[in-house]
Amino acid sequence: DAVYLGWKEYNARASAANFTLEETAQLLPYARSKQVRVYVALNSLLESSDLSRILDLLQALSDLDPDGIILQDPAIAYLARKFFPELKLHASTLMTIHNSAGANQLKRMGFERVVLARELTLAEIERIAANTSIQLEIFVHGALCFSYSGLCLASSFRGGRSGLEGRCVQPCRLRFRQGHKEGFFLSCNDLCALPLLPRIKGMNLSALKIEGRLKSASYIGRVVRAYRLVLD
């Protein structure tokens, strides 16, 4: 029903191929001809020196009119609301929303949708959905971070590159040794919610999200078809 993509700048998958502004301008009409929505991720953290460039990108997004922009940094939300109020704001999972109070606060700030933190249980998601009117989206398939969503500093500590700026070196995927034990102690198994879809369908959620920005097209196609088949 929708795709999400990142530009060459300021997205949380800096190592992916990503899209240029010109490519996005070509992609949007094609997606709309197929009745598919497009969300653009500007979901890395900013430094003060980035603000003028972000204004340029927000102006471009305002002209392109995507179906939503996915944010982590409140500065982008502030600039979008102040200068480009027509843009639809989606809160990235990196904003770490774990409860209905956080979701309701983002609604008051002008957000249209919240992508909930990935470490929530099904029961917690149900409670949030019952106590907010903002649109909710959850990840149902893909890699999981060992840390809390959007709060990991391990990459900066281990590799000198910030995961919050889209440059995670994935230290949790490494083999570690403790005493006589050795293994991938911090590496989580991937999430697969296919068996959970009957319960998830009753949760009043607006969207189910499949990770794809560092995956092959054939992988994404197969996974999406599997979820589409089970949902229908």
Side-chain angles (χ1 to χ4, degrees):
D1 305 297
V3 296
Y4 70 110
L5 57 93
W7 280 355
K8 298 290 186 181
E9 304 170 84
Y10 305 116
N11 85 81
R13 292 290 184 272
S15 58
N18 294 311
F19 290 84
T20 64
L21 173 60
E22 292 74 18
E23 288 168 340
T24 309
Q26 295 172 9
L27 183 150
L28 276 164
Y30 175 76
R32 284 170 178 154
S33 74
K34 303 292 184 181
Q35 289 77 52
V36 171
R37 294 183 292 278
V38 176
Y39 308 130
V40 177
L42 286 178
N43 59 341
S44 68
L45 291 179
L46 303 182
E47 298 176 2
S48 293
S49 58
D50 299 323
L51 294 179
S52 60
R53 178 58 180 159
I54 282 293
L55 282 169
D56 291 339
L57 296 179
L58 289 173
Q59 176 67 70
L61 281 168
S62 178
D63 295 337
L64 290 172
D65 190 29
D67 297 282
I69 58 173
I70 306 171
L71 313 176
Q72 174 190 186
D73 197 313
I76 301 180
Y78 169 77
L79 294 172
R81 287 276 66 81
K82 184 175 177 65
F83 298 110
F84 309 99
E86 72 284 354
L87 288 173
K88 302 175 184 68
L89 306 185
H90 292 193
S92 169
T93 189
L94 298 173
M95 290 194 84
T96 329
I97 300 301
H98 289 97
N99 51 61
S100 58
N104 289 327
Q105 175 60 28
L106 287 179
K107 183 176 182 180
R108 289 190 291 269
M109 292 169 62
F111 280 79
E112 183 175 278
R113 179 178 297 183
V114 172
V115 185
L116 291 172
R118 297 197 201 193
E119 52 274 4
L120 289 168
T121 66
L122 291 176
E124 290 167 336
I125 294 170
E126 286 175 326
R127 285 197 293 271
I128 294 171
N131 289 283
T132 187
S133 59
I134 196 170
Q135 294 179 17
L136 298 178
E137 180 175 312
I138 63 168
F139 276 90
V140 291
H141 199 93
L144 290 171
C145 182
F146 181 80
S147 183
Y148 288 106
S149 298
L151 297 177
C152 184
L153 300 177
S155 178
S156 297
F157 177 79
R158 174 76 170 61
R161 295 164 59 190
S162 174
L164 306 184
E165 293 180 336
R167 296 177 173 82
C168 184
V169 299
Q170 298 187 319
C172 57
R173 307 295 185 229
L174 300 177
R175 181 185 293 274
F176 290 91
R177 182 183 295 109
Q178 181 184 29
H180 298 294
K181 296 181 179 180
E182 186 173 320
F184 297 95
F185 301 134
L186 306 182
S187 185
C188 301
N189 290 333
D190 277 12
L191 171 66
C192 176
L194 278 170
L196 308 175
L197 288 183
R199 181 174 176 184
I200 289 172
K201 284 180 70 173
M203 287 187 180
N204 193 31
L205 301 173
S206 295
L208 308 181
K209 191 168 198 168
I210 294 168
E211 180 195 38
R213 283 193 286 160
L214 283 173
K215 305 293 187 181
S216 68
S218 61
Y219 167 90
I220 297 168
R222 290 172 185 272
V223 174
V224 170
R225 281 195 295 272
Y227 278 83
R228 181 81 277 161
L229 177 65
V230 175
L231 282 171
D232 291 347

